[in-house]
Amino acid sequence: MKIAIVGATGAVGQQMLQCLEERNVPGELKLLASARSVGKKFTYKGQEIAVEELCEKSFEDVDYALGATGNDITKKWMPWAQKNHVVVVDNSSAYRLDKDVPLVIPEINPEDIQKHHGLIANPNCATIIALVALNALRKEFGIKRMIVSTYQAVSGAGVKGIHDLEVQSKDPSVPSTAFPYQIAYNLIPQIGDFDDLGISKEEWKMQNEGRKIWHDDNLLVSCTCVRVPIFRSHSESIFIECEKEVDVEKARALINEAAGCVLKDDPKNGVYPMPLDTTNQDLVFVGRFRKDISDPTGHSLSLFCCGDQIRKGAATNAVQILQELIK
């Protein structure tokens, strides 16, 4: 069995490499990237592997591929993979809402993996982190509506975003390469282009992807996405309106047992989710549970969650899907 990482030299591709090794996924590995990266070597399970140029013949000896490229590049190489009957787990947004492509978070809808036709999509990073934090609550209380504010790390913009924060933290006068404004010591309330309603592409993803993953076309989401000067963990403030009355203690107990979650909810003693604590691990930290005091029905709940964008928000989720495929 041979596994290819397409876009192997980027931030997510490099994390995929690490996750495959950490999880001891069987098979040989092939690293694919653009011509300028050809010959770069990376160590995997004690062996050096040289990067090869991504081209039409790259997939002739490949069984599975993990995609870590932008939409335009993904659409270019995907037919080459499909021609060779490669099963692809793709991290781009190119095919996420295609009705014939499963959109999967393994803790939530692993059964959808088996419906694939050679392609499975990895959800948006903010969507993954939010839905992992909410899934057990949805099963118990039902979720009709969500109001979400995201505080998204620069890693979501790739290596250029990380570079911008690194250099601007030392010298704020250095121009940004990944963002429209300086990111160091700043917040930017824009991720993606705005439509005529003033909603950005990133903000639509939470509702559109959430509906598909949860198989709920009635889910309502209002989302505000903000880029913040944090290196790699996203944070999210979430309000949910539920179908029945919410019990806060029950909610805490559910999260304490939920797959992929860690309960961090003792605010009087300074225990709550923070991006620094979630960096470089695969669990979503959830806390700051409180009823909405403006809702007399008791059907609403607010919480805060954090998760590593490069790992669970991208690479780890893709590798988990691959592991399910191999099983």
Side-chain angles (χ1 to χ4, degrees), residues 226-293:
V226 183
R227 188 73 70 189
V228 300
I230 297 293
F231 277 108
R232 56 180 290 160
S233 277
H234 287 357
S235 304
E236 305 185 28
S237 174
I238 303 176
F239 162 93
I240 55 174
E241 181 183 345
C242 299
E243 294 171 358
K244 57 185 181 180
E245 187 172 356
V246 175
D247 183 313
V248 174
E249 290 305 317
K250 178 67 172 178
R252 290 191 180 102
L254 288 166
I255 295 301
N256 196 44
E257 299 295 327
C261 292
V262 174
L263 180 67
K264 293 284 184 179
D265 193 41
D266 186 7
K268 290 182 178 179
N269 291 302
V271 178
Y272 31 70
M274 293 187 291
L276 193 62
D277 293 337
T278 59
T279 293
N280 202 30
Q281 55 83 56
D282 293 326
L283 300 172
V284 176
F285 289 17
V286 191
R288 289 296 321 277
F289 285 101
R290 59 211 184 275
K291 275 196 173 183
D292 174 24
I293 59 173

Side-chain angles (χ1 to χ4, degrees), residues 95-158:
Y95 300 98
R96 285 177 186 158
L97 299 182
D98 189 311
K99 64 181 179 64
D100 295 321
V101 177
L103 185 65
V104 175
I105 300 173
E107 292 89 345
I108 298 175
N109 60 329
E111 66 280 358
D112 287 351
I113 293 173
Q114 303 309 322
K115 301 173 185 177
H116 77 84
H117 300 282
L119 174 59
I120 301 163
N122 218 31
N124 173 257
C125 45
T127 302
I128 292 173
I129 291 165
L131 267 58
V132 168
L134 295 174
N135 194 54
L137 305 179
R138 178 179 178 271
K139 288 181 178 179
E140 180 68 21
F141 305 116
I143 295 176
K144 297 192 297 184
R145 186 167 70 106
M146 299 163 49
I147 300 174
V148 184
S149 295
T150 71
Y151 311 93
Q152 296 185 216
V154 296
S155 57

Side-chain angles (χ1 to χ4, degrees), residues 21-321:
E21 182 162 7
E22 288 174 355
R23 291 169 175 265
N24 196 29
V25 176
E28 298 178 46
L29 193 62
K30 188 172 190 175
L31 305 180
L32 300 171
S34 64
R36 64 179 178 272
S37 296
V38 170
K40 287 185 178 180
K41 293 182 179 180
F42 298 96
T43 301
Y44 178 70
K45 295 184 179 180
Q47 295 184 330
E48 280 195 338
I49 303 176
V51 174
E52 301 175 35
E53 183 177 2
L54 175 62
C55 65
E56 190 167 355
K57 295 183 178 181
S58 294
F59 300 95
E60 291 179 351
D61 59 345
V62 172
D63 299 292
Y64 298 97
L66 299 176
T69 57
N71 287 6
D72 291 344
I73 298 174
T74 297
K75 289 178 180 179
K76 182 178 180 179
W77 64 259
M78 192 64 67
W80 304 341
Q82 292 176 327
K83 176 184 176 182
N84 288 279
H85 307 290
V86 177
V87 181
V88 177
V89 182
D90 178 41
N91 193 62
S92 81
S93 62
Y95 300 98
R96 285 177 186 158
L97 299 182
D98 189 311
K99 64 181 179 64
D100 295 321
V101 177
L103 185 65
V104 175
I105 300 173
E107 292 89 345
I108 298 175
N109 60 329
E111 66 280 358
D112 287 351
I113 293 173
Q114 303 309 322
K115 301 173 185 177
H116 77 84
H117 300 282
L119 174 59
I120 301 163
N122 218 31
N124 173 257
C125 45
T127 302
I128 292 173
I129 291 165
L131 267 58
V132 168
L134 295 174
N135 194 54
L137 305 179
R138 178 179 178 271
K139 288 181 178 179
E140 180 68 21
F141 305 116
I143 295 176
K144 297 192 297 184
R145 186 167 70 106
M146 299 163 49
I147 300 174
V148 184
S149 295
T150 71
Y151 311 93
Q152 296 185 216
V154 296
S155 57
V159 292
K160 287 184 177 180
I162 295 170
H163 175 264
D164 281 354
L165 181 55
E166 286 177 339
V167 297
Q168 290 177 358
S169 296
K170 300 172 184 176
D171 182 0
S173 69
V174 176
S176 291
T177 60
F179 309 113
Y181 299 99
Q182 173 188 318
I183 186 59
Y185 316 107
N186 194 24
L187 304 175
I188 303 174
Q190 176 184 2
I191 304 177
D193 296 330
F194 294 112
D195 63 13
D196 292 340
L197 297 173
I199 301 172
S200 74
K201 287 184 178 180
E202 188 80 1
E203 290 161 352
W204 275 117
K205 291 174 183 177
M206 187 74 72
Q207 175 170 283
N208 294 339
E209 296 181 18
R211 287 179 172 185
K212 186 172 180 178
I213 293 163
W214 275 339
H215 301 285
D216 181 2
D217 290 338
N218 296 315
L219 177 68
L220 299 174
V221 180
S222 176
C223 189
T224 301
C225 293
V226 183
R227 188 73 70 189
V228 300
I230 297 293
F231 277 108
R232 56 180 290 160
S233 277
H234 287 357
S235 304
E236 305 185 28
S237 174
I238 303 176
F239 162 93
I240 55 174
E241 181 183 345
C242 299
E243 294 171 358
K244 57 185 181 180
E245 187 172 356
V246 175
D247 183 313
V248 174
E249 290 305 317
K250 178 67 172 178
R252 290 191 180 102
L254 288 166
I255 295 301
N256 196 44
E257 299 295 327
C261 292
V262 174
L263 180 67
K264 293 284 184 179
D265 193 41
D266 186 7
K268 290 182 178 179
N269 291 302
V271 178
Y272 31 70
M274 293 187 291
L276 193 62
D277 293 337
T278 59
T279 293
N280 202 30
Q281 55 83 56
D282 293 326
L283 300 172
V284 176
F285 289 17
V286 191
R288 289 296 321 277
F289 285 101
R290 59 211 184 275
K291 275 196 173 183
D292 174 24
I293 59 173
S294 69
D295 179 7
T297 69
H299 286 214
S300 302
L301 182 73
S302 293
L303 58 92
F304 192 77
C305 63
C306 300
D308 189 301
Q309 181 271 328
I310 304 178
R311 292 189 65 109
K312 183 53 187 170
T316 300
N317 198 76
V319 172
Q320 287 177 297
I321 293 170

